[in-house]
Amino acid sequence: MFGDMMGMMNKLKEAQEKVEATKKRMDSVLVDEQSNDGLLNVTITANRTIKNISVDDDLLKDKEQLEDYLVLTLNKAIEKATKINEAEVAAAAKDGMPDIPGMNDMLK
């Protein structure tokens, strides 16, 4: 019994380490997004840190249009990055979890 508990605790620690390593790795996963017409390009990490914004000169002529483009394009990039991040972290957590009866039903 005690050995099983120690084994589960070790598995949980390994799972936590995998999740932390995955979170750190997400800093190097880049997500590119652009406006529909390609006038604005954004690059962010899967941890949702902005790395680059490229603006076409045509957008610099209209402040309100540029602001709208930034909001829309950044939100699309953040949504993509969040999906990638959540999927990768969930996979790392599930992969490292010990086999605890009934736990899979709770995670659904």
Side-chain angles (χ1 to χ4, degrees), residues 20-92:
E20 291 304 316
T22 299
K23 286 180 180 179
K24 187 171 182 152
R25 184 174 57 83
M26 292 295 100
D27 284 331
S28 64
V29 175
L30 299 179
V31 175
D32 293 311
E33 186 61 52
Q34 66 178 342
S35 60
N36 290 336
D37 56 10
L39 296 178
L40 179 73
N41 294 292
V42 173
T43 302
I44 67 173
T45 69
N47 278 332
R48 297 163 299 264
T49 300
I50 296 170
K51 289 298 194 177
N52 187 50
I53 296 176
S54 175
V55 180
D56 189 277
D57 289 340
D58 287 343
L59 282 178
L60 297 177
K61 299 171 188 169
D62 186 343
K63 178 182 182 279
E64 189 174 309
Q65 182 183 20
L66 174 58
E67 291 170 346
D68 290 343
Y69 270 58
L70 283 167
V71 169
L72 291 171
T73 307
L74 284 168
N75 281 334
K76 285 195 306 186
I78 290 167
E79 185 178 333
K80 279 185 181 178
T82 299
K83 286 180 181 178
I84 292 169
N85 185 294
E86 289 174 352
E88 291 291 323
V89 171

